[in-house]
Amino acid sequence: MNSMMIPSKGIVKIDYQTPNMNNKKFKLMMHNIGYIPQSLGLIKNITVLENTLIGALPRLGKIQSLFKIFPEKEIVEAKKILKQVGLEGKEYRKAYMLSGGEKRRVAIARAFMQKPTLLLADEIVSELDSVTAREIMNLIADAQKTMNLTAIMVHHDMQLALEYANRVAVIKEGEKILEIGVEGDKIVDFQTGNLTPDEIMEMYSVDAKK
Amino acid sequence: MELLQITKPSDFPLISTKKIVQMNNVYASYDSKNYVLKEITLSIDRGTIYVIVGQSGSGNLLFLNL
C-alpha cells in the first residue's frame, strides 16, 4: 500500500486509484500515507523534535526541505504532536538516548506529522513488553477517533490484534486464511461465514501459544 | 444507499463510498516465480484499524509494500 512493490496479478486500489507514481494526484495522496517500518527509521544523532519534523518535509518547498528550514508553525505543530504521544519535555533529546517505547512514540509522531489518512505500521509493538505495547496501541486507537485515521498494521500477536482492531486478517503462507471483524466481545467471520466464534477463539489460542 | 453503479465487471463487485484500500485477487512475489502472496482479496474501510496477523515470512511486509 505504499506502492514500493507492484503486484504480479490482480488489482490494488488506494482510495479508488490504481497506484501510479507518474500520476500527480496519486503522488500527492501518497504524502498522506504514513509508514512506520519495523526498524522505525529514526535518525539517531538528531533530536526527537527534528525527527518528528521530518514528517513535515513533503509539505515544504524544495529549498526549505533541502536545507531543513522549518516554519515556526510546523515546529509548534510538532511539539503539539509530541505532547499527544507523551514525549513532552523530551523534545531535545537525541534519538539514540531513548528507550524502545519512546522510539516508537517518535516514529508515530513523525507519521502523525504527515497528517496521514492512512498509517501503515510493520510489527510496531513486537519488541515491547505488553504494557508498553498497549500504550503504543492506545495512541493509534486515539488517533483513529480524533483524526479519523485508518491504520493497517502487521502483528504477530493475535491477542493484541483482537483488542484493538476492527478487522483482523490472518495470513498463512501467503494466503489469507481468516478474516474476522471484532466489535466488543463479538467476533464475526468475514472469510467463509462458516466458523463459529468458538472455533475462531480456538484457532487464535493455538496461534498465541506458538 | 452506499452502493454505486457497477461499470466494469472486472473491477470490484461492491463499491461502497468509504473504502480506502481494495485488493482483488492479488498475487505478488519478489522474484516473479514464487508467489509470496496468493489470492488476496480484501477491502479496508476508512477510519478503521486493520491488523494483519501472521508469522514472520508469511508475506506480511510484502503486503504493506504493495
Side-chain angles (χ1 to χ4, degrees), chain A residues 1-5 8-9 11 13 15-16 122 144 150-151 153 155 166-167 169 171 173-174 176 179, chain B residues 16-17 19-20 22 24 26-27 36 38 41 46-53 58 61 64-66:
Chain A
M1 282 153 256
N2 56 17
S3 303
M4 289 203 288
M5 300 277 296
S8 320
K9 272 196 246 176
I11 312 166
K13 287 202 174 174
D15 216 359
Y16 304 104
D122 183 21
Q144 180 203 7
T150 311
M153 319 181 77
H155 280 326
N166 304 99
R167 280 277 179 109
I171 293 191
E173 285 157 15
K176 194 177 78 175
E179 181 170 359
Chain B
S16 98
T17 48
K19 299 275 182 266
I20 190 156
Q22 296 163 307
N24 193 12
V26 167
Y27 287 70
V36 181
K38 291 162 240 164
T41 298
R46 204 175 267 278
T48 57
I49 296 184
Y50 194 98
V51 173
I52 299 148
V53 176
S58 52
L61 182 59
L64 286 186
N65 285 348
L66 278 176

Side-chain angles (χ1 to χ4, degrees), chain A residues 1-16 35 117-118 120-123 140-141 144 148-156 158 161 164-176 179 207 210, chain B residues 4 10-12 15-30 32 35-66:
Chain A
M1 282 153 256
N2 56 17
S3 303
M4 289 203 288
M5 300 277 296
I6 299 162
S8 320
K9 272 196 246 176
I11 312 166
V12 177
K13 287 202 174 174
I14 300 167
D15 216 359
Y16 304 104
Y35 178 51
T117 47
L118 181 60
L120 309 175
D122 183 21
E123 297 276 6
I140 291 170
Q144 180 203 7
N148 195 23
L149 180 78
T150 311
I152 303 172
M153 319 181 77
V154 170
H155 280 326
H156 58 242
M158 189 68 169
Y164 287 94
N166 304 99
R167 280 277 179 109
V168 180
V170 180
I171 293 191
K172 194 177 182 188
E173 285 157 15
E175 284 179 69
K176 194 177 78 175
E179 181 170 359
D207 216 22
K210 268 181 194 170
Chain B
L4 300 177
S10 61
D11 281 352
F12 292 92
I15 301 177
S16 98
T17 48
K18 49 172 193 169
K19 299 275 182 266
I20 190 156
V21 174
Q22 296 163 307
M23 291 191 182
N24 193 12
N25 212 10
V26 167
Y27 287 70
S29 69
Y30 287 110
S32 71
Y35 289 121
V36 181
L37 290 177
K38 291 162 240 164
E39 277 184 62
I40 303 287
T41 298
L42 53 83
S43 59
I44 299 175
D45 291 349
R46 204 175 267 278
T48 57
I49 296 184
Y50 194 98
V51 173
I52 299 148
V53 176
Q55 291 177 329
S56 307
S58 52
N60 300 333
L61 182 59
L62 181 62
F63 189 91
L64 286 186
N65 285 348
L66 278 176

